[in-house]
Amino acid sequence: MKTYDFDDKYIINLDSEMAIETDNIQVSYGKNQAIFNTSLKFPRFKIISLIGASGSGKSTYLRCLNRMNDKIATVDGKIMYRNVDINDPKTNVYEVRKHIGMVFQRPNPFSKSIRENIEFALKENGIRDKNELDERVEMSLQDAALWEEVKDELDTSALALSGGQQQRLCIARSIAMKPDILLLDEPASALDPISTSKIEDTVQLLSKNLTVIIVTHNMQQASRISDYTAFFHMGHIIEYNETRKIFTKPKIKATDDYISGDFG
Amino acid sequence: MHPKRTDKIATGIIYTVVFAVVAILVFLIGYILVNGVPDINWHFLTSQAQSFSAGGGIRDQLFNSLYLLVLTLIISFPIAMGAGIYLAEYAKDNWITDIIRTSIEVLSSLPSVVVGLFGYLLLVNQLNMGFSILSGAIALTFFNLPLLTRNIEESLNSVPGLQKEAGISLGLSDWKTITKIIVPEALPGILTGVILSSGRVFGEAAALIYTAGQSAPSVSYTNWNIFDPSSFLNPMRPAETLAVHIWKVNTEAVTPDAHAISSGSSAVLIIVILIFNLGARFIGNHIYKKMTAAK
């Protein structure tokens, strides 16, 4: 494997309105440090891809953003969201996760009906009004481009859906909470190309109303859908720039090697 | 040796072993049923046991067994559920958890007669509870708890971790996620475990001889006041169960039809346990299908 100088990095200077930013994030699993001082800013209503080889730390980093690493790893540093450091131990993590939703690599709908999958978290958060619930179910399914396929079978089991539909249901379940930010952890890696392209279309539509941060192994996917791309290598952020620039004219050697397949 | 030959021989041995196991089971159950079923009739199931004359039934013993089972479950299920949830969802991988697990394993291999004698000393004598259904139920809880806890823990662990992440990522607390998502999903497994452990409790004798006692005083099935000593619901009365009855009839009964009573009781016991087991499968499958819409 080639070795690169981790100090050799490029991070774009952004001054638009930020959805979330991290300041010197360090993550360690016991004695193993997985992420080294990573400071990134994510502009609002944009799609940002995190790319890098397996084990580069991109998923670990993503999971910090809504505190999903709480019981797994130690996360140091600041994560600023709406002027609050949400990495502070005193932060109400449940509240954070309502604003920052997450969809995982493998579709994980609950073993409930399609409707209950979406209504469940809403009800737990005190929404009881039947009309409001129905409306949220329809809106979120439409936004996730699933409504037309399932509108007549809302009360059947979510597990009877195909993998691609289940994943879109998971997206719908997440956006029904009306989050500001949606974190996607390789959402299409377990899906076929047709389902993948549907997910990509969905993500692009969603970015009108929220900020999407997506981890992906698929560089075509990153270049197709994202506005900005961040490249991670061995727990270090190497390059963060506009997607167009990163894929045509990377500034750092490591990024260039990774994108051109001349890596390691 | 030729791989194909080895495979044939191994397969042959496996089939023979399986056949032997099945044959022994079928023989045992068949023997008990063939001997006992002719002695079962309505009178046998609904009349009181007789001490000296023939024609006694097992009404009280059958009821006592069921009542004891219900009480045991009422005591042991919440404890096992709590312990199971702790071990499956909260326990960290450290030496304390190891000690808990080891203790549970040791407890589960405790001979039931030891549990019975312990119950006799602690509950019956020390705590002055006397020979009573409650003493028996607590003793059976000691006996039932390890397996039930293990079963609940395993059922919860069999729910994919992704389900928990899904709940947590929606802003739900751990507790909500566990009680509203993980436990319902694990329910078929938990239910099967509860019913199977019921079968073991139902057939237990040694632990009860010293705790629930060997006498079945006549009780009134119309007296619903649980504090009245003659009420069938009173948990402080001594109660001989079906399994204890079988043991007693075989060791010290003087009734002329002792053999028939013992055979009939054994058959009833086996049939009830069979019903539990088949019921566990049926209900477990049914709930699972209902929840997952699996065909």
Side-chain angles (χ1 to χ4, degrees), chain B residues 8-67:
Chain B
K8 258 192 183 155
I9 294 173
T11 315
I13 292 174
I14 289 169
Y15 273 112
T16 318
V17 170
V18 168
F19 178 77
V21 171
V22 172
I24 293 170
L25 283 176
V26 168
F27 172 74
L28 269 178
I29 295 178
Y31 181 81
I32 294 171
L33 289 180
V34 167
N35 274 301
V37 169
D39 295 316
I40 303 175
N41 53 48
W42 189 244
H43 174 80
F44 180 66
L45 292 175
T46 56
S47 58
Q48 259 186 300
Q50 299 291 335
S51 303
F52 304 107
S53 56
I58 54 166
R59 177 189 72 186
D60 300 329
Q61 284 76 13
L62 188 56
F63 173 78
N64 287 343
S65 284
L66 291 170
Y67 189 38

Side-chain angles (χ1 to χ4, degrees), chain A residues 4-23:
Chain A
Y4 299 99
D5 179 7
F6 297 128
D7 290 331
D8 186 16
K9 58 173 114 177
Y10 175 80
I11 288 167
I12 186 178
N13 229 338
L14 294 163
D15 45 11
S16 56
E17 194 189 349
M18 294 301 152
I20 188 165
E21 36 190 291
T22 68
D23 187 14

